[in-house]
Amino acid sequence: AALDHLILLSIDAVVIYFTFQIAGVPFSSWQAIPVLPLALFLLLVKGSYFCVFTALGGQTVGKMATGIRVVAENDREVDPARAVQRTLAALASVATVGIGFAPALFAGDRRTLHDRVAGTRVVGPVHE
């Protein structure tokens, strides 16, 4: 997750930099840029990153680095609809100060709320 968010924060920085450059606004006048549309765009980029990578192989760059991947409950690839469902549920988990991640700490199957909602699970590198 840390690697994924580092990549996404780098993308955020590049988008914000070029937004200011194209608008011809100095960083000291950041109030001149409408924050809500920019924030929604960056949120859309983040959501797309997680949806696309999860749907195309079950791994984001961070998951690739650690050797873990997301699979459907039947151990098949995650289809695009399920990837979107998982990403939206994860967003809800983050929006509620991480409450949706608590089941992974206490439940025996170590699945988060977004895994339960989407019918997915994370498997390690030695999964058969």
Side-chain angles (χ1 to χ4, degrees):
L3 180 57
D4 289 327
H5 289 289
L6 182 63
I7 290 167
L8 289 167
L9 285 173
S10 300
I11 292 169
D12 290 349
V14 169
V15 168
I16 290 169
Y17 172 79
F18 282 113
T19 299
F20 277 83
Q21 292 300 307
I22 291 168
V25 176
F27 288 111
S28 60
S29 300
W30 64 269
Q31 299 91 343
I33 300 290
V35 176
L36 185 60
L38 182 58
L40 290 175
F41 176 75
L42 295 175
L43 184 63
L44 181 64
V45 169
K46 287 172 180 37
S48 299
Y49 172 88
F50 287 107
C51 286
V52 170
F53 275 102
T54 301
L56 298 174
Q59 293 178 300
T60 60
V61 175
K63 284 182 177 56
M64 288 177 204
T66 58
I68 59 176
R69 63 192 295 252
V70 178
V71 295
E73 287 176 322
N74 59 5
D75 287 336
R76 295 187 184 248
E77 294 285 320
V78 178
D79 60 83
R82 198 177 295 254
V84 169
Q85 197 175 28
R86 185 177 192 273
T87 300
L88 291 175
L91 178 62
S93 290
V94 170
T96 58
V97 195
I99 292 173
F101 295 96
L105 300 173
F106 304 111
D109 60 2
R110 303 192 42 90
R111 291 173 58 210
T112 60
L113 180 62
H114 51 275
D115 281 322
R116 294 172 192 284
V117 167
T120 59
R121 61 194 179 95
V122 177
V123 295
V126 185
H127 177 70
E128 300 176 32

